[in-house]
Amino acid sequence: MTHTRNGTAAPPAAPPTTPPTPPTAPSAAPRRTAFAEGLDRLRAAATTEPGRLRIIGAVLALLVVAFGAVTAWQTTARSAAADDVLHSSQPLTSAAADIYRSLADANTAASSGFLAGGQETEAGRDRYEKDIRTAAAKLITAANSSDPDSPSARTIAELNRLLPEYKGLIERARANNRQGYPLGGAYLRYANDKMQTEMLPAAEDLYTSENRRLRADYADATPYPWAAIALGVAALAALAWAQHRTYRRTNRVLNHGLVAATAATTAVLLWLVVGHSVARAGLNDSYDHGVRSLGVLHDARIASLKARGNENLTLVNRGAETVETTPGKFADKFDVAYQASMKDLAEGLTRAADLADDDAGARPVKAATGNMDVWQDRHRQAREADDAGDYQAALDKVIGAKSDEPTGECFDGVDRSLQIAIAHEEREFAQAAGDGRDAMTGLAAGAAVLAVLGAAGAVLGVGRRLSEYR
C-alpha cells in the first residue's frame, strides 16, 4: 500500500485502460512445392550409393523405353507411308492416267468413226464404247479412294458431269453423219472442244494431284528416323557408362542385367538402321526405275493419243479453222496441234529409253519409236495428198485398210508398245516397293518388345547391386 507524507493511505492506482499486448507467436514457414520437396529428397538420396543406383536404374530404364517407343512410332509412320505408295497413291496415279488415256482414246475413236462416214466399223464402235466404260469405271475407283472434300474429289465429280454430255454430242454427230448432214461435223467439233478444253484438262489435273500425293508418300516413307537413332545411341552410351562405373566400384566385369539391356538395345538399333536402309533403298529404286519411267511412259502415251485425235480432226475440219504459225502464214489448227503432240511423243520416248534399265523395258520403247517414225512419214504423205486436193487418198492414208498403209496402224503399234512398257514398269515398281515395305515388317512390334526387355534388364541389373547394401 502506498502512504502519503502525512501518513494517510493513498487510494489504489486506477487499472490501465489498454490491456497489455500478448506476446507475438513465431510465424510459420511457407509450405514448399511438391517439386521442391521431391528435389530435396532426390539430392539427399544422391548422397548415398543406394540412392544413386536407384536414380541410375530409373534413367537407364527410361532411356531404353523411350528409344523403343520412338522407334515403334517412327517405323509405323514410315511403314504406313510405304504401304500407301504401294497400294494407294501409285495405283491411283495410274488410274488417273488411265482415265486420261481412255477419254483421249474415246475421242480418237469417235473422230475415226466419223471419218468412216455411215460405214463406221464395228471395231471402231466397240473401241469407243470400251474406252467410255473404262473411264467411267476408273472414275468410280478414284472417287472411292479420294477424300470427300479434296480437290481430286471435286475434279472427279466434274468429270462425271461432263462425260454424259460428251456422249450425247457424239451420238448427235453420228446420227447426222449417217444421214449425210454436214451438221454432224459441227457436233463432232463441239464434242472435241469439250473434251480438249474441259475434260482432258480436268483429267490432267487429277493425274497431277495424284502425282503430288505419291511424291508426298515417298517423302514420308524414306527419311531416316534420326530421333530414334539418336535415342538408341544415347541409351547405349548410358548403359556402357553404368557398366564401367560398376566395374570400377566392384571389379566385376559383367552385370548380367545391364548386359542383357545392352544386347536388347543394340539389337533394336541395328534392326532399325539396317531395316530402314534396305527399305529406303527399295523405295528409292521403285521411284527411280518405276515411278519416273511410268510417268514418262504415261505422258508419251497421252501425247500419241492427242496426236492421233488431232490427225483425224485435220481431215474432219478440212481447213475450217486455222492458226497463225509465223507472221502472215496460217496453217490448219489441228495439224499444228498434231505436230506439237508428236514432238512431245518423240521427247517422251527418248527419255523412256534413257530410263529403261533392262532389255524388257527398252524393247517396247524401241518398237514404239520405230512405229512413230513410220507414222510421221505416212502422215506427211496424207498431208501432201490432202493439200493436192485428193481428199480420198488422204483419208485412206489415215484410216484406210491395211493395204493402204494407214497411219492408224502406226498409232496402234505405238499405243500397244507403250502399254507393254507400262505393264513392265508397273511390275518393276511393285517388286521394288514391296521389298522396301517388307523390310520394315515387324520392326515396330519387335522394337517395343525388346525395349521392354531391355528396361527390365537394366532395372534388374541395378537391383542386383542394391541388394548388396541390404
Side-chain angles (χ1 to χ4, degrees), residues 399-444:
I399 64 164
K402 188 172 182 179
S403 58
D404 298 317
E405 297 184 337
T407 60
E409 186 180 34
C410 301
F411 162 71
D412 288 339
V414 170
D415 192 67
R416 186 167 50 251
S417 296
L418 288 175
Q419 186 175 11
I420 293 171
I422 287 171
H424 170 73
E425 295 300 334
E426 284 180 339
R427 289 192 297 271
E428 293 277 296
F429 160 81
Q431 180 65 45
D435 290 344
R437 182 204 57 182
D438 293 344
M440 291 186 281
T441 300
L443 178 52

Side-chain angles (χ1 to χ4, degrees), residues 43-58:
R43 287 196 190 100
T47 61
T48 64
E49 182 60 14
R52 285 192 287 268
L53 286 174
R54 290 188 181 93
I55 294 172
I56 290 171

Side-chain angles (χ1 to χ4, degrees), residues 187-202:
Y187 274 120
L188 182 65
R189 285 192 293 272
Y190 186 33
N192 176 73
D193 186 63
K194 182 176 287 291
M195 177 66 74
Q196 298 291 343
T197 62
E198 297 182 61
M199 299 178 70
L200 290 182

Side-chain angles (χ1 to χ4, degrees), residues 262-277:
T262 303
T265 304
T266 303
V268 174
L269 185 60
L270 288 176
W271 191 359
L272 173 64
V273 173
V274 174
H276 192 78
S277 295

Side-chain angles (χ1 to χ4, degrees), residues 140 145 161 178 243 283 298 336 414 463 465:
I140 292 172
S145 302
R161 181 186 67 82
R178 290 193 191 99
Q243 291 173 87
L283 289 168
H298 282 309
V336 171
V414 170
R465 285 280 294 121

Side-chain angles (χ1 to χ4, degrees), residues 3 15 25 75 108 240 275 287 301 312 317 390 426 447:
H3 297 271
T75 302
T108 298
Y287 186 84
R301 199 176 187 190
N312 289 342
N317 190 51
D390 192 347
E426 284 180 339

